[in-house]
Amino acid sequence: MQVTMEWTYKTPKGTKTNFYSEQLHAKDALMIAADMERWQRVESLVFVDYRGNRWSEKELRAYTEEIATEPHDITVFFDGGFELAQYKAGLGCVVYYHQNGKAYRYRFSKYLEEINTNNEAEYASLYQCLELLEELGVHDLPVTFKGDSKVVIHQLAGEWPCMEETLNRWADKIEQKLEQMGIDPVYQSIPRKANNEAHKLAAKALDGVETNSTIEV
């Protein structure tokens, strides 16, 4: 989880001022906080997450220890390839996460029939990613979803309307799955080049080459 730090600095003569950090990984923020405490100049300190929730050092430390053995710090890249001639799709998904002090990458691709549009393939790919997270045991955590489909990203973020019935059904399925798993989604639209890994997986799936692998990174 990413947080910012807010603290009040107090000099030996009582002069005070406030400081704000850039966004940091919670683990790094806690390390900095421990170092700051050695100087005994910090009068108050809070950590603020991406949703604006405020954490004390004790609360944040307990949270990071609680989730250490489970998949966390999760970023998902998704892409859907579509072939109009045969109404088939290739789904690509890449999941980066931490668990037990190590970093992992999970790559998955799948061939899917009876898909009617490229946008539907993109939605299907994101839903497939959620099923993978469910298999990993992800629950009650924030997850960042990155894709180059502006339609999917902006519609799920509530920034664009969704008029197509088929896409609405996929959006409903995704939102129900998110609620069921307790996932708090953060959607980010990225350029195609930044989504190259998921794009290649989707393209290979269209050619009949499916992938399912996990490595330490």
Side-chain angles (χ1 to χ4, degrees):
M1 181 170 66
Q2 298 289 312
V3 298
T4 56
M5 302 171 64
E6 298 181 4
W7 69 95
T8 300
Y9 181 90
K10 182 179 180 181
T11 69
K13 294 185 178 181
T15 303
K16 301 179 184 179
T17 190
N18 296 320
F19 290 96
Y20 305 88
S21 79
E22 61 183 0
Q23 199 170 66
L24 300 162
H25 188 281
K27 181 180 178 181
D28 295 330
L30 287 168
M31 187 184 305
I32 292 171
D35 186 69
M36 289 167 56
E37 289 173 357
R38 292 167 45 204
W39 300 97
Q40 299 182 349
R41 294 287 189 269
V42 178
E43 183 175 77
S44 63
L45 170 65
V46 294
F47 303 86
V48 185
D49 66 23
Y50 69 103
R51 291 296 189 193
N53 300 313
R54 302 172 74 83
W55 304 68
S56 68
E57 182 177 356
K58 182 178 179 180
E59 290 170 337
L60 187 59
R61 196 173 297 281
Y63 174 76
T64 56
E65 291 174 356
E66 177 184 344
I67 66 173
T69 60
E70 303 175 358
H72 58 279
D73 294 340
I74 302 163
T75 300
V76 174
F77 293 84
F78 70 95
D79 193 42
F82 176 65
E83 189 172 294
L84 179 60
Q86 299 185 44
Y87 291 96
K88 65 180 184 179
L91 313 182
C93 183
V94 185
V95 181
Y96 288 92
Y97 65 97
H98 289 81
Q99 188 173 14
N100 295 318
K102 297 180 180 180
Y104 296 93
R105 182 191 67 187
Y106 183 10
R107 299 169 74 241
F108 182 90
S109 63
K110 181 179 180 179
Y111 171 84
L112 194 64
E113 296 181 331
E114 298 182 2
I115 294 293
N116 294 310
T117 65
N118 184 71
N119 286 333
E120 186 181 2
E122 296 279 3
Y123 266 103
S125 178
L126 180 50
Y127 185 78
Q128 178 64 59
C129 291
L130 289 178
E131 292 191 326
L132 297 178
L133 295 181
E134 190 172 36
E135 291 177 10
L136 287 172
V138 176
H139 61 91
D140 301 313
L141 287 173
V143 175
T144 299
F145 296 93
K146 297 186 178 184
D148 57 70
S149 170
K150 293 183 180 296
V151 169
V152 172
I153 293 294
H154 290 293
Q155 285 182 348
L156 288 176
E159 298 165 349
W160 290 3
C162 185
M163 304 298 187
E164 297 180 42
E165 183 178 347
T166 300
L167 300 188
N168 261 318
R169 286 199 298 267
W170 279 107
D172 288 344
K173 285 179 62 175
I174 288 170
E175 289 172 357
Q176 289 169 9
K177 179 69 76 174
L178 289 168
E179 184 176 357
Q180 173 191 337
M181 297 169 65
I183 289 177
D184 189 2
V186 178
Y187 298 108
Q188 292 185 8
S189 177
I190 59 175
R192 169 60 62 83
K193 287 185 178 180
N195 202 32
N196 194 45
E197 196 170 14
H199 175 70
K200 286 183 177 180
L201 288 170
K204 287 183 178 180
L206 273 174
D207 292 333
V209 181
E210 296 185 335
T211 302
N212 190 341
S213 65
T214 303
I215 64 169
E216 187 177 340
V217 294

